[in-house]
Amino acid sequence: RLNRPTSGNKSIVNNSSDYDYVIGSGPWGERADLMGLLVRLPFHDAAKFHRRNDTNNTNTNATTSSSSLAIGGADGCVDLDSAENNGLKEAIDLLEPIRQKAFIPAGEGEDEAILLSRADVWALAGNVMIESVGGPRLAYKVGRVDVTDCAGQWERHVSAESISSMDVEHAFVEELGFTHREVVALIGAHVLGKASKVHSGYDGAWVQRNDRFTNDYYVDMLHVPWQRDTETVEPFGERTTWHRFEGMRNMPEIMLQADVDLAFQTTGGWFCSRIGGEFIKGLSCPNATHGFAEHVHEFAADEEEWREEFAVAWEKLTGMTESELECVMPDCWTPEESWSASQSSDEPRSSDAAAAMDGTTRFYGGLSLFMLAWHIL
């Protein structure tokens, strides 16, 4: 049986009446902004995981090497008092009406349906957004358990103003157990949406077409010139932004310091103000030589390699929990509207599979399509 979600999360605002659910008129702004927001939510929910210091823990979802106490992970809670989570309240409120109606129909021999946890719905929302804009097929499991308090969980994470790739390595490789390649693949999700000055002090999209799941993030970082700009933005303090630089002027697109440090050596005695494009002696930063850099080049050259690695890393990220997760679909993919979306039409359908699909496909497929139609189309 799946764990039942708890209620009463004091970090969650359940009143969604303040928001207009018409694309372009909500607080998120444009369509691409909403996509980025709904992908950012499950990322921030899961990427604070620390496994219990327990040598008997055999849960394969908990891959971190940290000896810290088990807190965080995909638990339906983000610390809204943390500046790193600014803007996520809008996504939480937007999904709450869906979460209140999300359940798995009772199966044979079961007395009642099981409500989906908040974390399960957030993970599904991220999957639907990514797949709906051309992303890879993504696995989806349920069983995450919501918690009632997550204050202070985000303090372990990397600031966008980080001036060293070592910070990224510590947080994601050493603490969470990702490979360098997986980390670079996940950060490529910056291709969707944009940064909001009111929420973070940064303003702009990473790429020009920010409503499609492409490898433009990597291509542009390497092959387009970017120029460093530093300013003080209240109440956030100093903000370093790398602006796309064309025609002798800054363009709207940006990269953050934590982005460019994946591929370039911008600190440690290097006094440079330009990355990407043609190398200009005295201005351009050299290529980095750490474990992340080679994968930026790899994914810029081969989009399919990135898509495949992203799907693996995303499943690993959204499964960061000590709860046991289980598939609700025979193929474990994110549900779609029909059997044909997950199984070839000329493949025979077994009676067991048909029984499993009857309830869950109608529910999950309906929820996926409902979210897609409500928020995107």
Side-chain angles (χ1 to χ4, degrees), residues 280-303:
I280 300 177
K281 187 175 182 179
L283 290 178
S284 295
C285 302
N287 290 332
T289 58
H290 51 60
F292 299 111
E294 64 178 297
H295 303 301
V296 177
H297 289 264
E298 175 191 8
F299 296 147
D302 193 328
E303 184 173 87

Side-chain angles (χ1 to χ4, degrees), residues 75-271:
D75 57 12
C77 188
V78 293
D79 182 5
L80 296 179
D81 290 330
S82 170
E84 297 294 338
N85 293 322
N86 284 351
L88 291 182
K89 176 181 177 293
E90 296 164 7
I92 292 169
D93 290 353
L94 190 64
L95 293 175
E96 188 60 15
I98 298 174
R99 199 276 309 170
Q100 293 173 355
K101 298 178 181 179
F103 66 94
I104 300 173
E108 184 177 352
E110 296 179 336
D111 296 331
E112 57 185 1
I114 302 173
L115 291 175
L116 283 188
S117 70
R118 187 178 293 109
D120 285 338
V121 172
W122 293 358
L124 179 58
N127 283 20
V128 170
M129 294 300 102
I130 291 167
E131 291 193 10
S132 71
V133 292
R137 291 296 306 276
L138 298 172
Y140 180 66
K141 298 179 181 180
V142 297
R144 300 165 186 83
V145 178
D146 295 335
V147 301
T148 58
D149 186 18
C150 53
Q153 286 186 1
W154 192 254
E155 64 188 18
R156 292 182 172 87
H157 281 264
V158 180
S159 167
E161 287 292 317
S162 169
I163 59 173
S164 172
S165 62
M166 293 177 63
D167 293 339
V168 179
E169 179 156 359
H170 174 72
F172 288 96
V173 178
E174 297 174 8
E175 287 289 327
L176 293 178
F178 287 102
T179 67
H180 291 82
R181 193 171 191 256
E182 288 170 336
V183 173
V184 175
L186 285 172
I187 296 177
H190 276 166
V191 73
L192 298 177
K194 71 176 185 179
S196 167
K197 197 164 190 174
V198 68
H199 290 148
S200 64
Y202 305 103
D203 187 25
W206 281 259
V207 299
Q208 292 179 331
R209 187 66 190 270
N210 63 336
D211 62 350
R212 291 290 183 270
F213 201 80
T214 69
N215 67 339
D216 287 354
Y217 170 80
Y218 309 105
V219 173
D220 289 357
M221 186 189 299
L222 298 180
H223 301 297
V224 171
W226 304 82
Q227 183 167 281
R228 180 172 12 208
D229 178 52
T230 302
E231 63 176 329
T232 298
V233 180
E234 297 298 339
F236 304 101
E238 186 174 278
R239 287 291 182 254
T240 302
T241 305
W242 295 77
H243 283 276
R244 188 180 183 122
F245 189 70
E246 294 180 354
M248 299 303 293
R249 63 189 180 94
N250 287 341
M251 305 300 286
E253 293 75 38
I254 66 168
M255 291 281 171
L256 307 182
Q257 186 65 43
D259 293 310
V260 302
D261 280 340
L262 293 176
F264 297 95
Q265 180 65 51
T266 66
T267 59
W270 293 96
F271 299 97

